[in-house]
Amino acid sequence: MVEDEGILLWDVEQSLVEAGFEVASAFNAATAIETFDLDPERISAVLTDIRLGEGATGWDIARHARVARPTLPIVYMSGHGADDWPSEGVPNSIMISKPFVMAQVITALATLLNSASSLGIS
């Protein structure tokens, strides 16, 4: 999970853990990409904000991850960027606009993970 707003990062991370997910979190794209590159097979999905301050964006993180794992589930969450999703987002991803409720995030992740699982993709 990548989010540059500390309170939101903590809140979403805690909700995901309560829902049964193991979460690796980052405040920026550089840290997220570094974490991903350490063990791409360990990552089951990417949940990222679009605007992350200085440096790369959530769009960049998703494209980077998809090079290593072409079918990796990607969920974008952003207060800005939904209009750019069709052109900037990776295929077979989900965009959730802020503000959101956690059920939207959990449903999006579950949908993409179950879809990948039913296709025999991990």
Side-chain angles (χ1 to χ4, degrees), residues 3 14 20 43-44 51 55 59 62 64 67 70 72 84 94-95 97 103-104 107-108 115 118 122:
E3 172 59 60
Q14 293 304 309
I43 306 297
S44 299
R51 295 185 182 174
W59 306 126
H64 178 87
V67 169
L72 186 70
D84 296 327
I94 294 175
M95 169 60 81
S97 295
Q104 290 173 278
T107 300
S115 177
S118 70
S122 59

Side-chain angles (χ1 to χ4, degrees), residues 99-119:
F100 55 80
V101 294
M102 274 310 300
Q104 290 173 278
V105 174
I106 292 167
T107 300
L109 285 169
T111 298
L112 291 175
L113 288 166
N114 288 336
S115 177
S117 177
S118 70
L119 297 173

Side-chain angles (χ1 to χ4, degrees), residues 4-112:
D4 62 335
E5 294 179 42
I7 293 172
L8 184 56
L9 175 71
W10 183 85
D11 189 41
V12 174
E13 182 178 19
Q14 293 304 309
S15 295
L16 290 171
V17 168
E18 289 172 13
F21 292 94
E22 182 180 333
V23 181
S25 58
F27 283 107
N28 60 51
T31 303
I33 289 171
E34 181 180 307
T35 300
F36 177 83
D37 287 347
L38 288 174
D39 189 2
E41 294 303 316
R42 183 173 166 251
I43 306 297
S44 299
V46 172
L47 172 63
T48 185
D49 190 4
I50 302 301
R51 295 185 182 174
L52 299 166
E54 298 285 323
T57 66
W59 306 126
D60 299 320
I61 293 167
R63 286 189 288 268
H64 178 87
R66 283 285 184 87
V67 169
R69 307 262 318 272
T71 58
L72 186 70
I74 305 288
V75 176
Y76 300 104
M77 53 183 184
S78 187
H80 306 82
D83 293 342
D84 296 327
W85 177 51
S87 62
E88 295 287 336
V90 296
N92 301 314
S93 61
I94 294 175
M95 169 60 81
I96 299 173
S97 295
K98 293 178 183 175
F100 55 80
V101 294
M102 274 310 300
Q104 290 173 278
V105 174
I106 292 167
T107 300
L109 285 169
T111 298
L112 291 175

